[in-house]
Amino acid sequence: MQPDTGAALPPDWPHRERSRAVQAAGLRWHVQTWPQPRPDAPWLLLLHGTGASAHSYAGLAPLLAPHFGLVVPDLPGHAFTQRPRGLGLSLPGMAAAVGGLLKALGVSPAAIVGHSAGAAVAARLCLDGHAQPQALISLNGAWYPPGGPSAWWYAPAARLLALNPLAPALFAWRASQPATLKRLLRGTGSQLDASGEARYARLAGDARHVGAVLAMMAAWDLAPLPVALPRLAAAGTALHLVAAVRDGAVPPAQAERLAAQLPGAVVHRLPGLGHLAHEEAPAVVADLVERLLAPR
């Protein structure tokens, strides 16, 4: 896999030398890849969460690269990957698109690491037959629809905003303001350094990226997913639930709730870390991933 950085990438984007443009599933993707360190090394697919990009794994990927081949894409509509049409930003649509990407790359991942909404994409990818990994590692996975007082208007509001052509630009302008961005990141329970904040500021200021995020929020229906997850174990895919104790975006109780519904599921807690735990402490998460995927 030869790097192809493409003109759209900023010159200081993390691991730019690992970037390539790939045409797959009707989309032009931005994908970062690390080759297999040895011919028999397994492949890992790393999927980021809503509103992020492949940069979310900038610290983690190099720590995993000595042991695995890595495929780290920007999800459809996010950052430097083209936005799909129609139902392409629904959960099944995004999973199918990622499946098309894997087929184009000729990669069958032995395991998938999914952060937040990326965990849901990974699960749908497996459930719909686009991948057959031995393990799925959920990093603060978003498995349930939003709860609490705001649940009743969350999806309808997102749909209205997604239909408003001015909304993405307005949201992008507002979210890219330093005070607003710091407040949003602080709400995740994570603490990022200046470079980490700057990468999210760049994404938050991109109206195209923000518009895709709003459309994704409007199109998703998570309700059927937890009911279907027992099929993963039946297909031979182990599900590991990693929950950061300080997560302010996806409460750790979601992992506990899901584990109670899935026989054999175990929650791995990360003390002192928030929703972006893999960005805060990539060495801690890399060690856990390696232990979970070590041959038994």
Side-chain angles (χ1 to χ4, degrees), residues 238-254:
L239 177 60
H240 301 286
L241 303 172
V242 180
V245 172
R246 294 185 57 190
D247 192 341
V250 178
Q254 279 208 18

Side-chain angles (χ1 to χ4, degrees), residues 4-294:
D4 175 6
T5 56
L9 281 175
D12 60 346
W13 203 245
H15 305 304
R16 194 176 190 273
E17 74 283 358
R18 296 291 179 185
S19 294
R20 61 183 296 192
V22 177
Q23 194 71 31
L27 303 177
R28 184 179 185 274
W29 297 75
H30 168 240
V31 186
Q32 295 190 331
T33 59
W34 277 255
Q36 292 166 290
R38 60 184 189 280
D40 62 341
W43 283 99
L44 294 190
L45 171 65
L46 308 184
L47 299 179
H48 65 77
T50 310
S53 76
H55 91 271
S56 184
Y57 291 107
L60 182 60
L63 300 178
L64 297 176
H67 310 285
F68 308 96
L70 303 177
V71 175
V72 193
D74 290 346
L75 286 173
H78 286 65
F80 307 106
T81 291
Q82 185 179 358
R83 176 174 172 171
R85 297 181 179 180
L87 298 176
L89 286 173
S90 67
L91 180 53
M94 294 182 78
V98 174
L101 173 65
L102 292 174
K103 185 176 181 180
L105 294 173
V107 169
S108 297
I112 305 176
V113 177
H115 172 245
S116 192
V121 174
R124 196 74 263 170
L125 185 76
C126 301
L127 291 168
D128 292 348
H130 303 299
Q132 295 81 38
Q134 299 167 14
L136 193 168
I137 298 177
S138 162
L139 301 179
N140 297 323
W143 297 110
Y144 297 95
S150 63
W152 68 273
W153 64 266
Y154 174 85
R159 292 188 187 101
L160 288 174
L161 290 170
L163 291 172
N164 184 342
L166 299 179
L170 178 61
F171 268 65
W173 173 81
R174 182 63 176 166
S176 64
Q177 300 303 301
T180 302
L181 182 66
K182 284 184 179 295
R183 186 167 63 252
L184 290 172
L185 291 175
R186 189 165 57 245
T188 68
S190 290
Q191 295 183 342
L192 302 184
D193 59 20
S195 61
E197 291 185 1
R199 292 162 193 161
Y200 279 105
R202 193 224 176 270
L203 294 176
D206 182 347
R208 185 196 64 84
H209 171 86
V210 172
V213 171
L214 290 173
M216 174 184 169
M217 291 166 57
W220 271 38
D221 180 11
L222 283 172
L225 189 58
V227 179
L229 285 176
R231 288 167 41 203
L232 286 180
T237 298
L239 177 60
H240 301 286
L241 303 172
V242 180
V245 172
R246 294 185 57 190
D247 192 341
V250 178
Q254 279 208 18
E256 303 283 356
R257 176 183 172 188
L258 187 61
Q261 300 174 4
L262 299 175
V266 177
V267 177
H268 307 272
R269 297 168 186 80
L270 296 177
L273 297 174
H275 190 61
L276 302 173
H278 58 299
E279 298 187 43
E280 288 182 282
V284 171
V285 176
D287 179 68
L288 177 59
V289 169
E290 290 169 29
R291 285 192 283 113
L292 292 176
L293 299 182

